[in-house]
PDB file of all heavy atoms in Angstrom:
ATOM      1  N   VAL O  15      89.291 111.803 107.216  1.00 94.00           N
ATOM      2  CA  VAL O  15      88.212 111.335 106.335  1.00 94.00           C
ATOM      3  C   VAL O  15      86.846 111.614 107.026  1.00 94.00           C
ATOM      4  O   VAL O  15      86.677 111.181 108.154  1.00 94.00           O
ATOM      5  CB  VAL O  15      88.450 109.805 106.100  1.00 94.00           C
ATOM      6  CG1 VAL O  15      87.328 109.269 105.226  1.00 94.00           C
ATOM      7  CG2 VAL O  15      89.839 109.590 105.377  1.00 94.00           C
ATOM      8  N   PRO O  16      85.970 112.373 106.376  1.00 92.00           N
ATOM      9  CA  PRO O  16      84.691 112.523 107.005  1.00 92.00           C
ATOM     10  C   PRO O  16      83.881 111.311 107.266  1.00 92.00           C
ATOM     11  O   PRO O  16      84.094 110.358 106.433  1.00 92.00           O
ATOM     12  CB  PRO O  16      83.878 113.374 105.883  1.00 92.00           C
ATOM     13  CG  PRO O  16      85.034 114.002 105.105  1.00 92.00           C
ATOM     14  CD  PRO O  16      86.149 113.033 105.124  1.00 92.00           C
ATOM     15  N   THR O  17      83.076 111.230 108.261  1.00 89.00           N
ATOM     16  CA  THR O  17      82.456 110.005 108.626  1.00 89.00           C
ATOM     17  C   THR O  17      81.381 109.570 107.527  1.00 89.00           C
ATOM     18  O   THR O  17      81.098 108.343 107.381  1.00 89.00           O
ATOM     19  CB  THR O  17      81.540 110.205 109.888  1.00 89.00           C
ATOM     20  OG1 THR O  17      80.794 111.349 109.711  1.00 89.00           O
ATOM     21  CG2 THR O  17      82.553 110.405 111.041  1.00 89.00           C
ATOM     22  N   ASP O  18      80.977 110.490 106.777  1.00 91.00           N
ATOM     23  CA  ASP O  18      80.003 110.094 105.625  1.00 91.00           C
ATOM     24  C   ASP O  18      80.677 110.000 104.279  1.00 91.00           C
ATOM     25  O   ASP O  18      80.064 109.853 103.242  1.00 91.00           O
ATOM     26  CB  ASP O  18      78.947 111.182 105.472  1.00 91.00           C
ATOM     27  CG  ASP O  18      79.490 112.513 105.130  1.00 91.00           C
ATOM     28  OD1 ASP O  18      80.793 112.856 105.181  1.00 91.00           O
ATOM     29  OD2 ASP O  18      78.712 113.503 104.848  1.00 91.00           O
ATOM     30  N   ALA O  19      82.039 109.815 104.293  1.00 95.00           N
ATOM     31  CA  ALA O  19      82.772 109.699 102.919  1.00 95.00           C
ATOM     32  C   ALA O  19      82.353 108.262 102.343  1.00 95.00           C
ATOM     33  O   ALA O  19      82.406 107.348 103.092  1.00 95.00           O
ATOM     34  CB  ALA O  19      84.240 109.732 103.187  1.00 95.00           C
ATOM     35  N   LYS O  20      82.131 108.295 100.989  1.00 95.00           N
ATOM     36  CA  LYS O  20      81.810 107.102 100.417  1.00 95.00           C
ATOM     37  C   LYS O  20      83.105 106.266 100.239  1.00 95.00           C
ATOM     38  O   LYS O  20      84.174 106.713  99.992  1.00 95.00           O
ATOM     39  CB  LYS O  20      81.342 107.419  98.970  1.00 95.00           C
ATOM     40  CG  LYS O  20      79.943 107.977  98.960  1.00 95.00           C
ATOM     41  CD  LYS O  20      79.521 108.283  97.506  1.00 95.00           C
ATOM     42  CE  LYS O  20      78.112 109.012  97.491  1.00 95.00           C
ATOM     43  NZ  LYS O  20      77.657 109.248  96.015  1.00 95.00           N
ATOM     44  N   PRO O  21      82.910 104.887 100.430  1.00 96.00           N
ATOM     45  CA  PRO O  21      84.088 103.943 100.223  1.00 96.00           C
ATOM     46  C   PRO O  21      84.537 103.983  98.775  1.00 96.00           C
ATOM     47  O   PRO O  21      83.822 104.279  97.827  1.00 96.00           O
ATOM     48  CB  PRO O  21      83.436 102.625 100.556  1.00 96.00           C
ATOM     49  CG  PRO O  21      82.180 102.914 101.396  1.00 96.00           C
ATOM     50  CD  PRO O  21      81.707 104.194 100.913  1.00 96.00           C
ATOM     51  N   GLY O  22      85.881 103.775  98.701  1.00 96.00           N
ATOM     52  CA  GLY O  22      86.430 103.720  97.350  1.00 96.00           C
ATOM     53  C   GLY O  22      87.735 104.388  97.204  1.00 96.00           C
ATOM     54  O   GLY O  22      88.302 104.763  98.243  1.00 96.00           O
ATOM     55  N   HIS O  23      88.211 104.550  96.035  1.00 97.00           N
ATOM     56  CA  HIS O  23      89.466 105.178  95.868  1.00 97.00           C
ATOM     57  C   HIS O  23      89.402 106.696  95.498  1.00 97.00           C
ATOM     58  O   HIS O  23      88.623 107.069  94.691  1.00 97.00           O
ATOM     59  CB  HIS O  23      90.431 104.485  94.737  1.00 97.00           C
ATOM     60  CG  HIS O  23      90.707 103.020  95.154  1.00 97.00           C
ATOM     61  ND1 HIS O  23      90.009 101.961  94.851  1.00 97.00           N
ATOM     62  CD2 HIS O  23      91.875 102.699  95.751  1.00 97.00           C
ATOM     63  CE1 HIS O  23      90.559 100.904  95.403  1.00 97.00           C
ATOM     64  NE2 HIS O  23      91.783 101.364  95.870  1.00 97.00           N
ATOM     65  N   TYR O  24      90.304 107.500  96.060  1.00 98.00           N
ATOM     66  CA  TYR O  24      90.242 108.914  95.883  1.00 98.00           C
ATOM     67  C   TYR O  24      91.627 109.427  95.316  1.00 98.00           C
ATOM     68  O   TYR O  24      92.645 108.879  95.779  1.00 98.00           O
ATOM     69  CB  TYR O  24      89.970 109.708  97.224  1.00 98.00           C
ATOM     70  CG  TYR O  24      88.528 109.537  97.626  1.00 98.00           C
ATOM     71  CD1 TYR O  24      88.083 108.319  98.252  1.00 98.00           C
ATOM     72  CD2 TYR O  24      87.616 110.562  97.618  1.00 98.00           C
ATOM     73  CE1 TYR O  24      86.734 108.175  98.615  1.00 98.00           C
ATOM     74  CE2 TYR O  24      86.313 110.450  98.023  1.00 98.00           C
ATOM     75  CZ  TYR O  24      85.857 109.204  98.586  1.00 98.00           C
ATOM     76  OH  TYR O  24      84.551 109.020  99.022  1.00 98.00           O
ATOM     77  N   LEU O  25      91.636 110.423  94.412  1.00 97.00           N
ATOM     78  CA  LEU O  25      92.816 110.896  93.951  1.00 97.00           C
ATOM     79  C   LEU O  25      92.810 112.391  94.170  1.00 97.00           C
ATOM     80  O   LEU O  25      91.892 113.080  94.074  1.00 97.00           O
ATOM     81  CB  LEU O  25      92.954 110.700  92.449  1.00 97.00           C
ATOM     82  CG  LEU O  25      92.946 109.169  92.039  1.00 97.00           C
ATOM     83  CD1 LEU O  25      93.040 109.137  90.435  1.00 97.00           C
ATOM     84  CD2 LEU O  25      94.173 108.400  92.536  1.00 97.00           C
ATOM     85  N   GLY O  26      94.015 112.850  94.604  1.00 96.00           N
ATOM     86  CA  GLY O  26      94.256 114.270  94.878  1.00 96.00           C
ATOM     87  C   GLY O  26      95.562 114.808  94.218  1.00 96.00           C
ATOM     88  O   GLY O  26      96.440 114.020  93.976  1.00 96.00           O
ATOM     89  N   THR O  27      95.593 116.091  93.948  1.00 96.00           N
ATOM     90  CA  THR O  27      96.861 116.633  93.358  1.00 96.00           C
ATOM     91  C   THR O  27      97.510 117.519  94.374  1.00 96.00           C
ATOM     92  O   THR O  27      96.899 118.310  95.140  1.00 96.00           O
ATOM     93  CB  THR O  27      96.421 117.521  92.158  1.00 96.00           C
ATOM     94  OG1 THR O  27      95.826 116.621  91.290  1.00 96.00           O
ATOM     95  CG2 THR O  27      97.703 118.061  91.560  1.00 96.00           C
ATOM     96  N   ILE O  28      98.848 117.363  94.491  1.00 97.00           N
ATOM     97  CA  ILE O  28      99.686 118.261  95.281  1.00 97.00           C
ATOM     98  C   ILE O  28     100.456 119.134  94.432  1.00 97.00           C
ATOM     99  O   ILE O  28     101.243 118.679  93.587  1.00 97.00           O
ATOM    100  CB  ILE O  28     100.587 117.359  96.246  1.00 97.00           C
ATOM    101  CG1 ILE O  28      99.894 116.313  96.964  1.00 97.00           C
ATOM    102  CG2 ILE O  28     101.407 118.274  97.208  1.00 97.00           C
ATOM    103  CD1 ILE O  28      98.875 116.732  97.833  1.00 97.00           C
ATOM    104  N   ALA O  29     100.239 120.514  94.451  1.00 97.00           N
ATOM    105  CA  ALA O  29     100.933 121.390  93.524  1.00 97.00           C
ATOM    106  C   ALA O  29     102.029 122.051  94.276  1.00 97.00           C
ATOM    107  O   ALA O  29     101.933 122.468  95.453  1.00 97.00           O
ATOM    108  CB  ALA O  29      99.949 122.365  93.085  1.00 97.00           C
ATOM    109  N   ILE O  30     103.253 122.036  93.723  1.00 97.00           N
ATOM    110  CA  ILE O  30     104.419 122.670  94.414  1.00 97.00           C
ATOM    111  C   ILE O  30     104.667 124.008  93.531  1.00 97.00           C
ATOM    112  O   ILE O  30     104.981 123.897  92.290  1.00 97.00           O
ATOM    113  CB  ILE O  30     105.739 121.700  94.268  1.00 97.00           C
ATOM    114  CG1 ILE O  30     105.323 120.344  94.771  1.00 97.00           C
ATOM    115  CG2 ILE O  30     106.870 122.324  94.930  1.00 97.00           C
ATOM    116  CD1 ILE O  30     104.837 120.297  96.211  1.00 97.00           C
ATOM    117  N   ARG O  31     104.601 125.098  94.181  1.00 97.00           N
ATOM    118  CA  ARG O  31     104.689 126.427  93.567  1.00 97.00           C
ATOM    119  C   ARG O  31     105.812 127.142  94.179  1.00 97.00           C
ATOM    120  O   ARG O  31     105.647 127.762  95.227  1.00 97.00           O
ATOM    121  CB  ARG O  31     103.359 127.165  93.650  1.00 97.00           C
ATOM    122  CG  ARG O  31     102.156 126.462  92.962  1.00 97.00           C
ATOM    123  CD  ARG O  31     100.838 127.416  92.883  1.00 97.00           C
ATOM    124  NE  ARG O  31      99.901 126.801  92.019  1.00 97.00           N
ATOM    125  CZ  ARG O  31      98.904 126.004  92.485  1.00 97.00           C
ATOM    126  NH1 ARG O  31      98.826 125.578  93.725  1.00 97.00           N
ATOM    127  NH2 ARG O  31      97.988 125.493  91.443  1.00 97.00           N
ATOM    128  N   PRO O  32     107.020 127.166  93.560  1.00 97.00           N
ATOM    129  CA  PRO O  32     108.136 127.888  94.147  1.00 97.00           C
ATOM    130  C   PRO O  32     108.028 129.451  93.745  1.00 97.00           C
ATOM    131  O   PRO O  32     107.459 129.756  92.803  1.00 97.00           O
ATOM    132  CB  PRO O  32     109.345 127.244  93.426  1.00 97.00           C
ATOM    133  CG  PRO O  32     108.755 126.738  92.027  1.00 97.00           C
ATOM    134  CD  PRO O  32     107.400 126.357  92.304  1.00 97.00           C
ATOM    135  N   GLU O  33     108.760 130.219  94.592  1.00 96.00           N
ATOM    136  CA  GLU O  33     108.976 131.596  94.226  1.00 96.00           C
ATOM    137  C   GLU O  33     109.806 131.798  92.975  1.00 96.00           C
ATOM    138  O   GLU O  33     109.464 132.729  92.153  1.00 96.00           O
ATOM    139  CB  GLU O  33     109.633 132.291  95.351  1.00 96.00           C
ATOM    140  CG  GLU O  33     109.837 133.727  95.265  1.00 96.00           C
ATOM    141  CD  GLU O  33     110.680 134.338  96.434  1.00 96.00           C
ATOM    142  OE1 GLU O  33     111.128 133.550  97.312  1.00 96.00           O
ATOM    143  OE2 GLU O  33     110.852 135.527  96.420  1.00 96.00           O
ATOM    144  N   LYS O  34     110.719 130.955  92.716  1.00 95.00           N
ATOM    145  CA  LYS O  34     111.543 130.983  91.590  1.00 95.00           C
ATOM    146  C   LYS O  34     111.600 129.564  90.811  1.00 95.00           C
ATOM    147  O   LYS O  34     111.620 128.539  91.533  1.00 95.00           O
ATOM    148  CB  LYS O  34     112.947 131.324  91.955  1.00 95.00           C
ATOM    149  CG  LYS O  34     113.103 132.600  92.821  1.00 95.00           C
ATOM    150  CD  LYS O  34     114.610 132.715  93.119  1.00 95.00           C
ATOM    151  CE  LYS O  34     114.755 134.041  93.998  1.00 95.00           C
ATOM    152  NZ  LYS O  34     116.140 134.227  94.545  1.00 95.00           N
ATOM    153  N   GLY O  35     111.415 129.575  89.572  1.00 91.00           N
ATOM    154  CA  GLY O  35     111.352 128.371  88.753  1.00 91.00           C
ATOM    155  C   GLY O  35     110.050 127.933  88.544  1.00 91.00           C
ATOM    156  O   GLY O  35     108.971 128.507  88.850  1.00 91.00           O
ATOM    157  N   LYS O  36     109.883 126.721  87.884  1.00 93.00           N
ATOM    158  CA  LYS O  36     108.564 126.183  87.357  1.00 93.00           C
ATOM    159  C   LYS O  36     107.862 125.473  88.465  1.00 93.00           C
ATOM    160  O   LYS O  36     108.393 124.879  89.407  1.00 93.00           O
ATOM    161  CB  LYS O  36     108.709 125.235  86.273  1.00 93.00           C
ATOM    162  CG  LYS O  36     109.330 125.791  84.952  1.00 93.00           C
ATOM    163  CD  LYS O  36     109.431 124.786  83.845  1.00 93.00           C
ATOM    164  CE  LYS O  36     109.908 125.488  82.497  1.00 93.00           C
ATOM    165  NZ  LYS O  36     109.979 124.404  81.418  1.00 93.00           N
ATOM    166  N   ALA O  37     106.534 125.581  88.379  1.00 95.00           N
ATOM    167  CA  ALA O  37     105.592 124.811  89.250  1.00 95.00           C
ATOM    168  C   ALA O  37     105.569 123.439  88.831  1.00 95.00           C
ATOM    169  O   ALA O  37     105.852 123.087  87.668  1.00 95.00           O
ATOM    170  CB  ALA O  37     104.246 125.486  89.293  1.00 95.00           C
ATOM    171  N   SER O  38     105.113 122.475  89.747  1.00 95.00           N
ATOM    172  CA  SER O  38     105.119 121.029  89.325  1.00 95.00           C
ATOM    173  C   SER O  38     103.986 120.405  90.324  1.00 95.00           C
ATOM    174  O   SER O  38     103.474 121.151  91.109  1.00 95.00           O
ATOM    175  CB  SER O  38     106.420 120.397  89.567  1.00 95.00           C
ATOM    176  OG  SER O  38     106.853 120.425  90.868  1.00 95.00           O
ATOM    177  N   SER O  39     103.606 119.225  90.090  1.00 96.00           N
ATOM    178  CA  SER O  39     102.582 118.559  90.767  1.00 96.00           C
ATOM    179  C   SER O  39     102.769 117.152  90.752  1.00 96.00           C
ATOM    180  O   SER O  39     103.440 116.573  89.899  1.00 96.00           O
ATOM    181  CB  SER O  39     101.251 118.965  90.288  1.00 96.00           C
ATOM    182  OG  SER O  39     100.931 118.542  88.970  1.00 96.00           O
ATOM    183  N   PHE O  40     102.085 116.394  91.685  1.00 96.00           N
ATOM    184  CA  PHE O  40     102.049 114.992  91.580  1.00 96.00           C
ATOM    185  C   PHE O  40     100.669 114.536  92.245  1.00 96.00           C
ATOM    186  O   PHE O  40      99.989 115.332  92.915  1.00 96.00           O
ATOM    187  CB  PHE O  40     103.306 114.324  92.312  1.00 96.00           C
ATOM    188  CG  PHE O  40     103.465 114.707  93.790  1.00 96.00           C
ATOM    189  CD1 PHE O  40     102.767 113.867  94.776  1.00 96.00           C
ATOM    190  CD2 PHE O  40     104.122 115.843  94.182  1.00 96.00           C
ATOM    191  CE1 PHE O  40     102.947 114.155  96.145  1.00 96.00           C
ATOM    192  CE2 PHE O  40     104.252 116.098  95.453  1.00 96.00           C
ATOM    193  CZ  PHE O  40     103.599 115.324  96.422  1.00 96.00           C
ATOM    194  N   THR O  41     100.399 113.346  92.080  1.00 96.00           N
ATOM    195  CA  THR O  41      99.073 112.712  92.559  1.00 96.00           C
ATOM    196  C   THR O  41      99.282 111.848  93.680  1.00 96.00           C
ATOM    197  O   THR O  41     100.194 110.974  93.849  1.00 96.00           O
ATOM    198  CB  THR O  41      98.424 111.968  91.435  1.00 96.00           C
ATOM    199  OG1 THR O  41      98.213 112.922  90.322  1.00 96.00           O
ATOM    200  CG2 THR O  41      97.096 111.433  91.822  1.00 96.00           C
ATOM    201  N   VAL O  42      98.288 111.954  94.676  1.00 94.00           N
ATOM    202  CA  VAL O  42      98.303 110.998  95.800  1.00 94.00           C
ATOM    203  C   VAL O  42      96.996 110.191  95.793  1.00 94.00           C
ATOM    204  O   VAL O  42      95.955 110.732  95.130  1.00 94.00           O
ATOM    205  CB  VAL O  42      98.456 111.809  97.119  1.00 94.00           C
ATOM    206  CG1 VAL O  42      99.807 112.372  97.314  1.00 94.00           C
ATOM    207  CG2 VAL O  42      97.358 112.780  97.331  1.00 94.00           C
ATOM    208  N   ARG O  43      97.034 109.038  96.325  1.00 95.00           N
ATOM    209  CA  ARG O  43      95.888 108.183  96.215  1.00 95.00           C
ATOM    210  C   ARG O  43      95.433 107.747  97.710  1.00 95.00           C
ATOM    211  O   ARG O  43      96.404 107.390  98.484  1.00 95.00           O
ATOM    212  CB  ARG O  43      96.196 106.905  95.428  1.00 95.00           C
ATOM    213  CG  ARG O  43      95.055 105.821  95.288  1.00 95.00           C
ATOM    214  CD  ARG O  43      95.481 104.731  94.415  1.00 95.00           C
ATOM    215  NE  ARG O  43      94.491 103.708  94.322  1.00 95.00           N
ATOM    216  CZ  ARG O  43      94.582 102.610  93.593  1.00 95.00           C
ATOM    217  NH1 ARG O  43      95.662 102.557  92.754  1.00 95.00           N
ATOM    218  NH2 ARG O  43      93.612 101.776  93.502  1.00 95.00           N
ATOM    219  N   LEU O  44      94.126 107.722  97.983  1.00 96.00           N
ATOM    220  CA  LEU O  44      93.626 107.372  99.191  1.00 96.00           C
ATOM    221  C   LEU O  44      92.535 106.402  99.032  1.00 96.00           C
ATOM    222  O   LEU O  44      91.656 106.616  98.234  1.00 96.00           O
ATOM    223  CB  LEU O  44      93.116 108.636  99.936  1.00 96.00           C
ATOM    224  CG  LEU O  44      92.387 108.492 101.244  1.00 96.00           C
ATOM    225  CD1 LEU O  44      93.172 108.056 102.378  1.00 96.00           C
ATOM    226  CD2 LEU O  44      91.619 109.756 101.667  1.00 96.00           C
ATOM    227  N   GLU O  45      92.535 105.326  99.900  1.00 96.00           N
ATOM    228  CA  GLU O  45      91.402 104.336  99.805  1.00 96.00           C
ATOM    229  C   GLU O  45      90.653 104.471 101.118  1.00 96.00           C
ATOM    230  O   GLU O  45      91.088 104.361 102.288  1.00 96.00           O
ATOM    231  CB  GLU O  45      91.933 102.965  99.607  1.00 96.00           C
ATOM    232  CG  GLU O  45      90.756 101.891  99.597  1.00 96.00           C
ATOM    233  CD  GLU O  45      91.229 100.573  99.373  1.00 96.00           C
ATOM    234  OE1 GLU O  45      92.511 100.340  99.216  1.00 96.00           O
ATOM    235  OE2 GLU O  45      90.404  99.601  99.271  1.00 96.00           O
ATOM    236  N   VAL O  46      89.262 104.634 100.995  1.00 96.00           N
ATOM    237  CA  VAL O  46      88.350 104.643 102.131  1.00 96.00           C
ATOM    238  C   VAL O  46      87.656 103.350 102.131  1.00 96.00           C
ATOM    239  O   VAL O  46      86.993 102.843 101.122  1.00 96.00           O
ATOM    240  CB  VAL O  46      87.351 105.874 101.906  1.00 96.00           C
ATOM    241  CG1 VAL O  46      86.320 105.709 103.094  1.00 96.00           C
ATOM    242  CG2 VAL O  46      88.047 107.171 101.937  1.00 96.00           C
ATOM    243  N   LEU O  47      87.815 102.580 103.241  1.00 96.00           N
ATOM    244  CA  LEU O  47      87.194 101.300 103.502  1.00 96.00           C
ATOM    245  C   LEU O  47      85.646 101.387 103.904  1.00 96.00           C
ATOM    246  O   LEU O  47      85.372 102.389 104.630  1.00 96.00           O
ATOM    247  CB  LEU O  47      87.978 100.528 104.480  1.00 96.00           C
ATOM    248  CG  LEU O  47      89.449 100.275 104.065  1.00 96.00           C
ATOM    249  CD1 LEU O  47      90.195  99.502 105.131  1.00 96.00           C
ATOM    250  CD2 LEU O  47      89.500  99.492 102.765  1.00 96.00           C
ATOM    251  N   PRO O  48      84.922 100.455 103.607  1.00 95.00           N
ATOM    252  CA  PRO O  48      83.464 100.497 104.095  1.00 95.00           C
ATOM    253  C   PRO O  48      83.403 100.003 105.537  1.00 95.00           C
ATOM    254  O   PRO O  48      82.831  98.991 105.752  1.00 95.00           O
ATOM    255  CB  PRO O  48      82.812  99.461 103.072  1.00 95.00           C
ATOM    256  CG  PRO O  48      83.865  98.506 102.732  1.00 95.00           C
ATOM    257  CD  PRO O  48      85.104  99.315 102.748  1.00 95.00           C
TER     258      PRO O  48
END
């Protein structure tokens, strides 16, 4: 977490991209405290 990151909740996407088959994704959540 950068030192200047604003406090609050952050959401990010993790994309899974296989060589064979369909891609998929899910969300992760991060809380930065003040």
Side-chain angles (χ1 to χ4, degrees):
V15 178
T17 55
D18 60 350
K20 292 182 180 179
H23 292 91
Y24 290 72
L25 298 178
T27 300
I28 312 298
I30 309 300
R31 296 189 170 93
E33 179 184 7
K34 304 174 183 178
K36 291 184 178 180
S38 60
S39 65
F40 61 91
T41 300
V42 294
R43 180 176 177 176
L44 171 71
E45 182 176 1
V46 176
L47 299 177

